[in-house]
Amino acid sequence: LLSWVAISCCASRSVTDVYHGALNKMLCNEAEDILLGNISRLDDGYLIDLISLGKLQGKSFRLLRNAIYAKHGHIFASEELTEYFSRFDWYKPTKTVSYADLSEVERKNIEMIQKFEKMDENSETIVWGPEKEGVWQDIFVMAAGWSDRFVIYSDIKMEFLFSQMSELQLIKGLAGTYTIRGNVLLFSVSQIDIYEHDARFQESGGDGFTWANPKENTIYFKDPVILRFPVSKIYTFNKFGIERLAVEIGGREFYKMADNVTLKN
């Protein structure tokens, strides 16, 4: 059974939440929002948005990493950190929180952020060979074209495509060029591909809420946006008896799912 309803007239809280989530995904501002005190964006069950991390610089990484401890009421020895988090009503320093006290996802977020903190454009430059060309995604066994993925071309062209599993998608991906300096991947984003829609949706048991008539459109930037990610060499990874090429970008592993970039969707 299909239900067509205008978003502006919809009273369903679940649809509203999904739509707000889609807006947040399009803005790619999760890390910035956490630093501004919106601790609800720091979800114990999900990794911090990769693109939002790529927008940060300098001391922001230290603050973001310690926000995970501050959320649990950690008492900081640092006056700078204490002063920073004390401006937020939710910060209630009551105990010493250790790394072992954190959830698996929180520990993974800390490890990711630490890799951003160790970015060094003056270190020995990481070199990718011709094996770089293809579709790389962050889930090892899923078919290409479903999870978050980088599409790397034979030249310097690069795309980042958001997972197609998201509901009410507003953004498809980012496109531009890249270069590597030291252990830093600099992604120069010159365009963003979005989905236009007419505010009608349908509810499907398998796919959740989806737009009725989405259309792809592209916004071009006059001045490219530079995202910076820690990056590794390309290496071989074996899991479940399956061997794939892998690369770390932004502290997350991406696995090569296809050599042919036309299979990106």
Side-chain angles (χ1 to χ4, degrees):
L1 178 65
L2 298 183
S3 175
W4 306 99
V5 186
I7 288 291
S8 59
C9 300
C10 180
S12 171
R13 180 177 179 273
S14 60
V15 175
T16 301
D17 287 347
V18 168
Y19 183 62
H20 286 167
L23 285 173
N24 286 329
K25 178 67 73 174
M26 182 173 68
L27 294 172
C28 300
N29 68 344
E30 183 174 52
E32 296 167 302
D33 208 15
I34 293 168
L35 290 174
L36 289 173
N38 188 352
I39 202 65
S40 64
R41 298 292 300 277
L42 194 56
D43 194 309
D44 294 351
Y46 296 92
L47 297 177
I48 297 173
D49 173 65
L50 181 64
I51 301 302
S52 71
L53 285 171
K55 295 164 65 177
L56 299 185
Q57 296 185 50
K59 292 183 179 180
S60 295
F61 293 115
R62 178 173 179 246
L63 294 173
L64 183 64
R65 172 167 50 84
N66 281 286
I68 297 172
Y69 289 95
K71 179 180 179 179
H72 293 284
H74 179 65
I75 301 172
F76 293 103
S78 165
E79 291 184 9
E80 180 184 12
L81 292 175
T82 300
E83 181 180 356
Y84 181 83
F85 291 111
S86 292
R87 71 185 68 183
F88 306 124
D89 292 340
W90 53 261
Y91 178 54
K92 307 294 183 184
T94 57
K95 57 187 175 181
T96 297
V97 180
S98 71
Y99 181 80
D101 294 328
L102 303 176
S103 70
E104 181 179 352
V105 170
E106 288 173 324
R107 292 196 294 267
K108 178 61 178 175
N109 275 326
I110 286 176
E111 292 168 7
M112 285 173 54
I113 296 167
Q114 287 175 328
K115 290 182 178 180
F116 277 89
E117 291 180 281
K118 294 176 181 177
M119 289 190 297
D120 182 3
E121 294 185 31
N122 296 315
S123 63
E124 182 180 356
T125 294
I126 299 293
V127 177
W128 289 346
E131 72 277 8
K132 68 179 184 179
E133 184 176 8
V135 181
W136 304 75
Q137 74 173 24
D138 64 351
I139 296 181
F140 186 80
V141 295
M142 187 170 288
W146 281 99
S147 186
D148 285 346
R149 55 213 181 278
F150 279 98
V151 183
I152 304 173
Y153 292 79
S154 59
D155 49 17
I156 60 171
K157 182 180 176 183
M158 171 179 279
E159 297 175 58
F160 179 82
L161 302 179
F162 292 90
S163 172
Q164 293 175 333
M165 292 185 287
S166 301
E167 297 179 76
L168 298 183
Q169 278 189 298
L170 295 175
I171 182 171
K172 179 179 180 182
L174 313 172
T177 59
Y178 80 93
T179 187
I180 299 176
R181 297 177 191 160
N183 65 351
V184 185
L185 171 70
L186 293 96
F187 184 16
S188 179
V189 180
S190 57
Q191 70 182 65
I192 176 173
D193 297 316
I194 63 173
Y195 293 107
E196 293 184 342
H197 57 87
D198 58 7
R200 292 185 299 161
F201 66 91
Q202 71 181 55
E203 183 177 0
S204 167
D207 300 325
F209 297 103
T210 59
W211 296 116
N213 298 303
K215 297 179 181 179
E216 292 185 21
N217 198 2
T218 300
I219 298 173
Y220 297 93
F221 299 155
K222 180 179 178 181
D223 298 311
V225 175
I226 308 298
L227 303 176
R228 300 168 73 252
F229 304 101
V231 70
S232 75
K233 295 179 180 179
I234 295 173
Y235 55 93
T236 301
F237 187 89
N238 191 299
K239 190 174 184 179
F240 309 126
I242 303 171
E243 190 173 272
R244 297 193 191 282
L245 291 179
V247 65
E248 262 196 29
I249 301 177
R252 286 167 55 180
E253 272 188 320
F254 287 82
Y255 310 99
K256 192 172 189 180
M257 306 304 293
D259 294 316
N260 187 346
V261 295
T262 64
L263 298 178
K264 62 185 179 180
N265 294 320

